[in-house]
Amino acid sequence: MPASISLSQLSWSTPEGRSLFSDLDLTFGPLRTGLVGRNGVGKSTLLRLIEGSLVPQTGRVSVEGSLGVLSQTVQVAADETVADLFGVSRALAVLKRAEEGLASMDELAVADWTLESRLEAALARVGLDAAAETRLAALSGGQMTRVKLAALVFQEPDFILLDEPTNSLDREGRAAVAALMAGWRGGAIVVSHDRELLETMDAIVELTTLGTTTYGGNWSHYRERKAIELASTRHDLADAERRLAEVERKAQETAERKARKDAAGRRKRAKGDEPLLLLDARKERSEKTGGDNARLAERRRDQAVGDLADARERIEILQPLIVRLPPTGLPAGRSVLQIGDASVGYEAGKPVVDRLSLSIVGPERVALTGRNGSGKTTLLSLLTGELQPWSGSTRVLVAYAMLDQRVSLLDPALSIRDNFRRINPGASENACRAALARFMFRADAALQVVSSLTGGQMLRAGLACVLGGSSPPQLLILDEPTNHLDIDSIEAVEAGLQAYDGALLVVSHDHTFLEAIGITRRIELS
C-alpha cells in the first residue's frame, strides 16, 4: 500500500476551549506539501496530532508508512555526538574495530560497510562538513538544525514532518534546506513561512478557521489562485452591494405606490359615491397585498444583507494590507549614519565586529547579511548605543527607530492605542485611530494589550506606532523582522515598508523579503 496520511473528522481545541479545527477531513499522499496559515490557527498542533505526540479529541489519524519528525529540542548532553544523533555510534564502533582487526565474526557479519559514506552524504545534503565524532554542543543553532535534518533524512522515512525548518538559519543554511527538499522524493508536510522553501513543494494546504483548502502546485501557483479568489470576492462584494441597493430601491418604490393607492382609497371613501362593502373589500386586498409585498421585500433584503456580509468577511480575510504613510522628508544627499573603522566584542581580544566602516546616505535600503555569528546583531547594538566601540566611531545623524525581534519599544502592559499616543504624544485621537486603521487595527482591535498579541501582530503594531505618526523617523532599523511570523504578517510588514520613504537598515536572511522591500545595497559580514 502506498504511503499516506489520512485525517478523518479530526477536532482539537485549546485548553481554554478555543476550537482550532473541527471535523477536519484531509489526506496527504507521497508528495511534498506546504502547510500554511496564520499564526495560532493550529498548524503545529496538526503536525503533533499526525506524529502522535497529541491524541485527537475526536476523529482519527491514520498513517500508512514510516514517519520522521524534525526534533525541536535544543538541549543536548555535553558528550553527545553527531553519530549519537544519527543513532549509528555502535555501528561505527564496529567498523573501527574491524579496521583494527579486533571485530568478532558476529560483528563482521552485521557490519555496514556503506555507513560512513552514507553518513557523509547525508551531512553534505544539508551543506555541513562535520565529522561523526563532532560534539553537538559545539555546533551553532543553525548547524544544529541542519544536522538534525540530515539525521532525519538519513533514516529514509516514507514521510517527514518539518515545523519551521529554516527558522534561525543563515542564508547558506536556508539554501541547503531548500535544495534538500527540492531533491526529496518521499512524502513531506512542511510548516513554513519561508517562501523560497515553499517554492519546492508539490502542493500547498491552507489551514484557516473555516477548515483546509488544498492547492496543487508550489507557492507561486498558490498565490496566483489566491489572487483570482480575491478578484472574484471583490466582484461578489460589488454585486452584493448593487443587489442590496436594488432591493431597497424597489422596496421604497413599492411602499410609495401603496401609499398613493391608500390615499386614493381614503379619498373615495370620503366621497361616499361607492358602496362601503366594495371599499372594504378593496382595503382588505390592499392590506393583504401590502403585507405580502413587505414580507417579500424583507426576505429579499435579508438575503442581500447576508450576501453582502459574507462578501465583506471574505474580502477582509483575503485583502492584502495597503499602507499610505506621511513622508519623512529625508533628502537624497543627507548622511544618515556613519561607522568609521569600528571594533567591538564581548571578550577582550576577540572582536565580533573588527574595523568596520559603513555609511548610509539618503533613503538607501541596506541589508546586513552573513552567517550566523558574524556580528550582525552586535553591529545593531553598537549603532543604538547598547554597546560602545572599542575603537573607531559610530554616529546616527537622523531620528531613528529600532524594531528588534521582541519589538521592545512597545510597552507590553499598554494597548496598541496607548503605545501610539506614548510614542506620538502630539497626535490627536482621530489621527491615532486613522494611523492604526491603516495597519488593520480598527475599532476595538486598537485596544488590544500588546502582551496579548501574536508575533506578527506585535511587529505590525510596532510599525504602526513608529511609522503612522505625522513625522516618521528618517531611519528604521530592523533585526530579523520575519522570524516567527506567518506569511500574511510578513506581507503586511512588506506593504508597510514599501510605503516608507526613509532609510532602512535590515538584518535578515529572508531573500524574498529583502527583494520585496526594495533593498538597494547588501553588506555581508564575515
Side-chain angles (χ1 to χ4, degrees):
M1 181 177 292
S4 66
I5 297 172
S6 297
L7 315 178
S8 177
Q9 299 290 294
L10 195 65
S11 298
W12 183 264
S13 297
T14 67
E16 298 78 28
R18 181 172 67 91
S19 175
L20 293 183
F21 39 80
S22 60
D23 297 328
L24 195 64
D25 293 310
L26 188 61
T27 299
F28 297 93
L31 302 172
R32 297 163 298 184
T33 301
L35 182 59
V36 302
R38 295 183 178 181
N39 285 345
V41 79
K43 302 184 297 296
S44 296
T45 298
L46 192 58
L47 285 194
R48 293 180 64 193
L49 287 165
I50 292 171
E51 73 175 74
S53 62
L54 285 180
V55 178
Q57 292 168 340
T58 61
R60 188 165 54 93
V61 177
S62 300
V63 178
E64 294 291 341
S66 56
L67 283 181
V69 181
L70 180 64
S71 170
Q72 297 293 333
T73 57
V74 294
Q75 291 187 337
V76 294
D79 58 348
E80 191 174 354
T81 67
V82 169
D84 294 330
L85 183 65
F86 275 67
V88 297
S89 295
R90 289 186 179 181
L92 287 174
V94 168
L95 291 180
K96 185 175 182 179
R97 286 197 296 274
E99 291 171 357
E100 296 171 348
L102 301 176
S104 67
M105 293 300 293
D106 289 341
E107 288 176 328
L108 291 173
V110 297
D112 183 351
W113 302 102
T114 68
L115 177 59
E116 290 177 325
S117 61
R118 289 190 295 111
L119 184 62
E120 290 176 4
L123 291 167
R125 287 182 71 180
V126 295
L128 276 181
D129 182 19
E133 61 272 15
T134 300
R135 289 184 300 107
L136 297 178
L139 299 177
S140 69
Q143 289 173 325
M144 179 70 80
T145 298
R146 282 196 272 170
V147 78
K148 287 179 178 179
L149 192 57
L152 175 64
V153 300
F154 177 79
Q155 304 299 330
E156 298 183 342
D158 295 309
F159 270 95
I160 56 176
L161 307 180
L162 309 179
D163 193 355
E164 299 290 3
T166 59
N167 260 9
S168 304
L169 291 187
D170 55 25
R171 177 69 187 156
E172 184 179 321
R174 293 166 77 106
V177 174
L180 183 146
M181 289 308 305
W184 180 252
R185 293 296 172 261
I189 304 176
V190 183
V191 172
S192 181
H193 66 254
D194 185 336
R195 289 163 288 185
E196 288 183 85
L197 180 60
L198 293 172
E199 288 290 358
T200 67
M201 299 293 109
D202 302 306
I204 301 293
V205 170
E206 182 181 41
L207 179 62
T208 71
T209 55
L210 302 177
T212 61
T213 305
T214 301
Y215 299 82
N218 61 9
W219 173 255
S220 293
H221 182 267
Y222 161 76
R223 294 306 291 171
E224 288 172 4
R225 294 299 307 167
K226 291 295 287 185
I228 292 171
E229 288 180 12
L230 178 57
S232 174
T233 303
R234 284 174 173 157
H235 177 271
D236 291 347
L237 177 62
D239 184 61
E241 289 173 338
R242 180 191 58 76
R243 285 190 289 112
L244 178 58
E246 181 71 10
V247 166
E248 291 181 336
R249 183 185 64 79
K250 288 184 176 179
Q252 181 64 27
E253 290 177 351
T254 301
E256 290 173 354
R257 281 197 304 270
K258 183 178 184 304
R260 288 194 296 270
K261 289 180 68 175
D262 288 348
R266 286 194 296 272
R267 287 193 297 270
K268 284 182 176 292
R269 181 179 291 271
K271 286 181 180 180
D273 55 358
E274 289 192 40
L276 188 59
L277 189 60
L278 178 60
L279 292 174
D280 287 342
R282 286 177 180 172
K283 180 181 179 182
E284 185 177 345
R285 285 197 302 272
S286 175
E287 289 174 347
K288 183 177 184 304
T289 301
D292 290 344
N293 287 340
R295 285 189 290 274
L296 177 60
E298 188 64 25
R299 285 197 300 271
R300 287 175 174 172
R301 188 181 185 282
D302 288 346
Q303 179 65 45
V305 168
D307 291 345
L308 180 58
D310 178 65
R312 282 177 174 162
E313 181 177 317
R314 286 185 286 132
I315 206 82
E316 180 71 17
I317 293 171
L318 295 172
Q319 178 70 52
L321 178 67
I322 300 173
V323 180
R324 294 175 179 84
L325 300 175
T328 64
L330 178 62
R334 176 71 184 273
S335 183
V336 174
L337 70 81
Q338 295 175 350
I339 303 175
D341 208 28
S343 298
V344 71
Y346 304 95
E347 186 178 345
K350 295 182 179 180
V352 177
V353 174
D354 191 18
R355 302 185 65 179
L356 176 71
S357 294
L358 167 66
S359 64
I360 296 179
V361 177
E364 283 193 280
R365 298 186 163 219
V366 179
L368 285 178
T369 62
R371 293 186 177 185
N372 291 339
S374 61
K376 301 181 296 296
T377 299
T378 299
L379 179 57
L380 297 192
S381 297
L382 189 63
L383 289 174
T384 58
E386 292 182 33
L387 292 176
Q388 295 301 313
W390 292 349
S391 61
S393 62
T394 62
R395 290 195 301 163
V396 179
L397 303 169
V398 298
Y400 75 91
M402 164 79 172
L403 291 180
D404 56 23
Q405 294 182 45
R406 300 180 304 278
V407 198
S408 53
L409 65 79
L410 298 180
D411 185 335
L414 298 180
S415 68
I416 303 170
R417 171 208 172 270
D418 290 345
N419 269 287
F420 186 97
R421 297 297 297 272
R422 177 178 61 84
I423 294 170
N424 303 278
S428 67
E429 182 68 15
N430 285 342
C432 167
R433 290 305 188 115
L436 295 180
R438 288 197 293 271
F439 283 84
M440 299 178 73
F441 293 111
R442 301 181 180 91
D444 288 347
L447 303 180
Q448 296 175 94
V449 176
V450 165
S451 60
S452 71
L453 302 178
T454 67
Q457 290 172 326
M458 193 174 298
L459 184 56
R460 185 155 43 93
L463 286 173
C465 291
V466 167
L467 301 182
S470 59
S471 300
Q474 295 183 327
L475 170 64
L476 187 60
I477 302 173
L478 302 174
D479 187 9
E480 295 288 5
T482 62
N483 268 10
H484 310 295
L485 300 193
D486 58 50
I487 295 172
D488 284 341
S489 297
I490 292 173
E491 292 180 343
V493 171
E494 288 172 352
L497 295 179
Q498 287 163 2
Y500 176 63
D501 68 352
L504 277 177
L505 182 61
V506 184
V507 170
S508 179
H509 298 302
D510 189 335
H511 176 75
T512 305
F513 172 76
L514 294 176
E515 289 292 318
I517 64 174
I519 288 297
T520 56
R521 182 157 55 111
R522 296 172 189 254
I523 296 171
E524 183 158 0
L525 302 182
S526 58

